[in-house]
Amino acid sequence: MPEPIDPLLEISASLADIDEAGLRRRRRVVTTPCAPVAGLADRPDPVIAFCSNDYLGLAAEPSLAEAASQGAQRWGVGSGASHLVSGHYAVHDELETRLARFVGMDDALYFSTGYMANIGVMPALVGRGDAIFADKVNHASLVDGALLSRAEFIRYPHSDLAALAARLEASTAPRKLIVTDSVFSMDGDLAPLPELLALAEAHKAWLLVDDAHGFGVLGPQGRGSLAHFGLSSPRLIYMGTLGKAAGVSGAFVAGQRDVIEWLVSKSRSYIFTTGAPPLIAHTLLSALDLMEQGDTRRAHLNALIARFKAGLRLSRWQLLPSDTPIQPVVIGDNHETLAVSRALDAEGIWVPAIRPPTVPKGAARLRVTLSAAHSFEQVDRLVATLNRLEAAPT
Ligand SMILES: *Cc1c(COP(=O)(O)O)cnc(C)c1O
């Protein structure tokens, strides 16, 4: 028999271990609203931040703050109950109708967060004995959703269609679900959605697309990655988040009417939680207006992406091939990546260092994210500083 462990002692020792490995996670305290120029509690002067997923610069948009306060006047601050009891308000319903129409689906269901949407959808669609086919670098919430479902969890190498096809062929599972990020959150590249959908059709599988980083950014009017590729199919289930480009909070799942009806009755993370405040749904309606009319913001964002890519002169580090606002600079070594992130900080630039296990071993990186709220001057300063730091190793 192994000795019983006293978890009270163990947790302190474990914290010391992750400290030693440089893996303790710390939160930086931000003292100003989400914007390119950020105040921080740990330094006197502000920094230029390239970290948020606020791709259209809506998170601190004054007209949305105004909409939120009007929403609070109209609806108060709490929903009071879960959606199935008494916490489903007319404004939630209106938002769902609007979201479904926006992404070209029958119906949509609004969740409090994208994490909750993913862990709620997958177990409602597949279970023990079924199979989930997942891209190896999918977001953690999709991994957790797969584990919760108890279906067999089959991962395929990143965007490797031949490997996926072989795994689908080999599977005898009665129900199959393919799941992928549309824009991969740590790499910025796009999944081959048309080919994935063809495989889903051929194998009568669901295709669940997590468009956290595509909704609002890709496609006409920001309608997302399916619109970008012009895809539609009853086998498609779409998940979009509302705390990134939409600038607020929450998420939605869209699909065929019966699928959404099924989720209302079966999705545990939808059913067993208090409805998000109706004032948030109210604010989101205004955020969708800005997104829909956001071609100027998207054009500026794309110009910033092009400027960033054209300006970098890297020899040792590697800029990953991405046309999205996620522009990762792979440095490789954990310590060098941290040192570069610190050197940027000393220059008043905030870019987070992303290390394993979030990314593969040896592929530590700076995850640069761009927003329509950035100026050309801010991006030029980032480019010049990165070029200088790479040329003169720290
Ligand atoms: C951010 C993110 C989520 C989670 O969405 P939240 O609304 O932040 O909970 C899910 N999937 C991907 C790919 C994400 O980047």
Side-chain angles (χ1 to χ4, degrees):
M1 284 280 280
E3 279 290 300
I5 290 168
D6 182 345
L8 201 53
L9 298 178
E10 186 193 35
I11 202 149
S12 305
S14 302
L15 265 179
D17 289 348
I18 62 171
D19 259 344
E20 194 154 327
L23 292 177
R24 164 114 57 146
R25 302 300 180 109
R26 293 174 198 280
R27 298 162 299 170
R28 267 187 120 176
V29 178
V30 182
T31 57
T32 51
C34 176
V37 177
L40 291 164
D42 60 18
R43 53 179 291 150
D45 52 327
V47 294
I48 307 173
F50 294 94
C51 337
S52 86
N53 305 308
D54 179 26
Y55 301 124
L56 298 182
L58 297 182
E61 162 66 35
S63 70
L64 293 183
E66 182 56 34
S69 67
Q70 280 168 7
Q73 295 305 318
R74 168 80 172 81
W75 295 102
V77 295
S79 70
S82 64
H83 285 277
L84 296 198
V85 177
S86 63
H88 189 64
Y89 292 83
V91 68
H92 290 126
D93 227 55
E94 184 183 349
L95 176 65
E96 290 177 342
T97 305
R98 174 95 187 264
L99 286 165
R101 210 178 328 124
F102 189 59
V103 298
M105 294 281 198
D106 279 358
D107 210 348
L109 189 64
Y110 170 64
F111 282 77
S112 296
T113 72
Y115 183 88
M116 289 169 73
N118 283 342
I119 65 166
V121 169
M122 297 167 76
L125 294 174
V126 290
R128 219 185 281 282
D130 298 331
I132 291 173
F133 301 84
D135 190 291
K136 210 154 203 161
V137 307
N138 275 352
H139 190 262
S141 57
L142 295 173
V143 176
D144 294 359
L147 296 179
L148 270 176
S149 77
R150 298 178 169 88
E152 190 187 355
F153 187 37
I154 301 169
R155 302 213 284 176
Y156 57 89
H158 181 45
S159 291
D160 186 336
L161 293 163
L164 169 59
R167 285 160 173 72
L168 284 164
E169 276 318 322
S171 170
T172 56
R175 290 181 207 84
K176 302 183 180 78
L177 168 73
I178 304 170
V179 57
T180 187
D181 286 19
S182 58
V183 176
F184 289 92
S185 56
M186 294 301 141
D187 299 72
D189 57 330
L190 274 173
L193 294 181
E195 293 79 7
L196 289 173
L197 181 57
L199 281 172
E201 305 273 7
H203 292 271
K204 294 192 170 60
W206 296 114
L207 175 60
L208 171 59
V209 175
D210 177 337
D211 203 25
H213 301 279
F215 183 69
V217 175
L218 299 177
Q221 295 171 300
R223 289 170 194 266
S225 62
L226 299 183
H228 170 83
F229 285 110
L231 299 177
S232 71
S233 159
R235 300 200 183 280
L236 271 169
I237 298 167
Y238 178 89
M239 199 287 290
T241 65
L242 302 167
K244 289 171 179 158
V248 188
S249 134
F252 67 102
V253 175
Q256 263 204 321
R257 181 142 294 124
D258 281 352
V259 172
I260 300 306
E261 279 300 314
W262 178 254
L263 294 178
V264 169
S265 291
K266 293 291 173 187
S267 182
R268 295 171 65 84
S269 64
Y270 182 75
I271 297 168
F272 297 106
T273 193
T274 299
L279 80 88
I280 300 292
H282 181 97
T283 310
L284 279 163
L285 290 170
S286 298
L288 285 179
D289 288 339
L290 294 182
M291 250 176 61
E292 236 175 293
Q293 302 152 14
D295 283 349
T296 309
R297 290 173 195 267
R298 278 180 289 273
H300 180 59
L301 178 60
N302 286 324
L304 293 171
I305 294 167
R307 184 122 155 176
F308 178 75
K309 291 172 63 164
L312 280 186
R313 300 271 173 274
L314 301 179
S315 50
R316 288 184 302 127
W317 305 342
Q318 191 200 353
L319 182 65
L320 292 186
S322 157
D323 294 318
T324 69
I326 301 170
Q327 290 290 322
V329 177
V330 175
I331 292 177
D333 179 71
N334 292 351
H335 296 288
E336 186 180 5
T337 307
L338 268 183
V340 175
S341 181
R342 290 205 187 99
L344 285 167
D345 185 73
E347 307 265 352
I349 296 175
W350 185 10
V351 180
I354 311 284
R355 287 157 289 161
T358 310
V359 293
K361 276 206 180 85
R365 66 197 62 183
L366 300 171
R367 180 176 181 268
V368 171
T369 51
L370 299 171
S371 160
H374 284 120
S375 66
F376 286 120
E377 292 69 29
Q378 289 167 335
V379 169
D380 289 347
R381 197 167 135 198
L382 170 64
V383 165
T385 311
L386 283 172
N387 284 339
R388 180 157 45 76
L389 289 172
E390 200 221 25
T394 44

